Amino acid sequence: MSTQTALPQGGKASREQFAGRWAFIFAAIGSAVGLGNIWRFPYVAYENGGGAFIVPYLIALLTAGIPLLFFDYAIGHRFKGSPPLAFKRLSKWTESIGWWQVLICFVIGVYYAAIIAYAAMYTWFSFGERWGEDPEAFFFGEYLQVPEGVAPTLEFVPAVFWPMLMVWVILLVVLGAGVKKGIAMASLIGIPVLAVMFIILVIVALFLPGAPEGLNALFTPNWSVLTDPQVWIAAYGQIFFSLSVGFGIMITYSSYLKRRTNLTGSGLMVGFSNSSFEILAGIGVFSALGFMAQANGVAVADVVTDGIGLAFIAFPTIISQAPAGALIGVLFFGSLVFAGFTSLISILEVVVSAVKDKLGWSRVTTVVVVVGISGIISLLLFSTTSGINVLDVTDAFANSFGIVGAALVAVVTVSWVLRRLDGMVNHLNAVSSFRVGWIYKALVAVVLPIVLAYIWISDVVLKATEGYGDLPAWFVGTFGWGMSIALVVVAILLSLLPWSQKSALHSELNDNLGPETVTGDEQLVGATAGDRPAGAGHGGHSGRGRHADTPSHPHSAGSAERTHSSPTQPEHPEKGV
């Protein structure tokens, strides 16, 4: 039997690809390095032992962050698809997991654009220090025009609406240009510019009066916290939320890689680059906070904050008081714009790729529809006077309930329900320089589920018992719990819809799947979406058959198992990590 099948009429010969490994690495770093690196890590480190926090942070990176990054790479690269397509090829029963991840990206994308718009406007405001003597009153009052009530309104804020609209227009152009000319090019330009801007910002901040006090506050270790389980949970949580893992981005990006790509080597580079930027952000932010504390005659602890409070209240205060304040403002808020935009590109690409795979539309058509719908919803919800409240709740639940929950379900399903982890390990080892083995499998199958389950359950219990902030229960129930539950329900419904005959499931050549590295745990399948009988045998001339688009279900009566490894399979993968 032939190891290839004829391409259906109207089908596409291949999936879009990055031009090379470095284009992928820059795109992956652009996704990972986002707003959380700048405004979340410094605060989390300070609150959890300062310099001592680096110990659990690095351990979390090595035992959870990088393993989950490899996990996503293996699924995306092996099954060559967006999350829904990759999970469907893994097992037809798991497609809904992929749609859950896609919907999480959709929700994050529609509010992420608002934060980028804020940062863009504040880059402009920095020149004249538009916020005056009370940055907090300016931000919530004059700029966002937040009303006393929290009920959603359709009162648009022009200074938010227009920059948000520009963000969506640029997204339309970048995503419409494709993987090579759009996504990769934006990252190849954006990441170096971000790095240069932030390094200059750090250098300027280090020479501010009071900077040493800020750095001492951040890095002075409190070793006693290492016995506190909550500190370790904070470290694992920071890693999960900063690496862009667990919600489809890295699955999508790795599906655009060539068949022979060093996955683990690339993952190590992305993981350590992301963490290096976080530490650099900590140095810059706390140098500035040290100056702010000295200028106001207070302790560093009295000015430490994170998130929107750090970006749009604390930093404007610093800019107003510091020498070369306008320069600091442009560098800081400009960095937020670049970091946020490269991340937003990756977030929306997950949605674009999934819709394109399922419906078989062209990229341009898909981008117009996805970005158009996302932009309209984004502007209606987040460019209004009530937008900041909706953003606050949506962000909290999309991250804790959504990302952590989807990652937990994916890891448990692959490791324990389908028992396909060996196949993922074999695939990683077949194409990568850094091999993984039993230690890696133990981390993914045991450590990750325990940590993710603890984070997810504890956060759900906390929000269920104490609510969220001082927002009314109906508001949190609608935009928090309601949104989170709706994502799961809609994901299941989307998985039940049939795939178009023009979809990637039916039209892409078998060569689009990764190197055949399966041994006993993966099944032989038919050539086109499961239409041909399983157990048909494999090509004999090369010693490695080619998978079709959809692996048969593990319990299919006609399935047959591989009895020997691919020639590309390392002899002793267990000698790796």
Side-chain angles (χ1 to χ4, degrees), residues 76-99:
H77 188 251
R78 169 66 188 85
F79 296 107
K80 288 296 180 184
S82 59
L85 178 58
F87 276 101
K88 184 173 180 62
R89 283 173 167 167
L90 178 70
S91 171
K92 63 181 180 180
W93 308 110
T94 60
E95 182 186 339
S96 58
I97 298 175
W99 284 113

Side-chain angles (χ1 to χ4, degrees), residues 214-300:
L215 294 178
N216 286 335
L218 175 61
F219 289 113
T220 300
N222 176 13
W223 299 111
S224 64
V225 303
L226 296 183
T227 59
D228 184 355
Q230 292 304 316
V231 171
W232 290 83
I233 293 301
Y236 279 93
Q238 177 62 30
I239 288 295
F240 288 136
F241 295 134
S242 70
L243 267 180
S244 291
V245 289
F247 61 116
I249 293 176
M250 293 307 171
I251 291 177
T252 302
Y253 271 12
S254 61
S255 76
Y256 297 140
L257 287 170
K258 296 179 180 179
R259 292 186 65 186
R260 297 291 172 183
T261 301
N262 187 346
L263 297 180
T264 58
S266 301
L268 290 172
M269 188 169 296
V270 171
F272 284 109
S273 296
N274 176 73
S275 294
S276 298
F277 188 88
E278 289 197 316
I279 293 174
L280 183 67
I283 293 173
V285 168
F286 267 81
S287 294
L289 290 176
F291 164 77
M292 181 179 175
Q294 184 183 84
N296 291 278
V298 298
V300 174

Side-chain angles (χ1 to χ4, degrees), residues 102-121:
V102 170
L103 292 172
I104 292 168
C105 286
F106 174 79
V107 170
I108 293 175
V110 295
Y111 71 72
Y112 217 77
I115 302 174
I116 297 173
Y118 299 168
M121 288 303 298

Side-chain angles (χ1 to χ4, degrees), residues 427-453:
H427 184 80
L428 288 170
N429 288 334
V431 298
S432 303
S433 59
F434 180 80
R435 294 186 299 173
V436 296
W438 70 268
I439 295 177
Y440 171 79
K441 288 189 283 188
L443 292 174
V444 173
V446 179
V447 174
L448 276 176
I450 292 173
V451 174
L452 287 168

Side-chain angles (χ1 to χ4, degrees), residues 109-110 113 164-172 348 371 374-375 378:
V110 295
M164 277 185 70
L165 182 61
M166 286 302 301
V167 168
W168 287 107
V169 170
I170 296 172
L171 277 171
L172 188 70
L348 263 295
V371 174
S374 301
S378 176

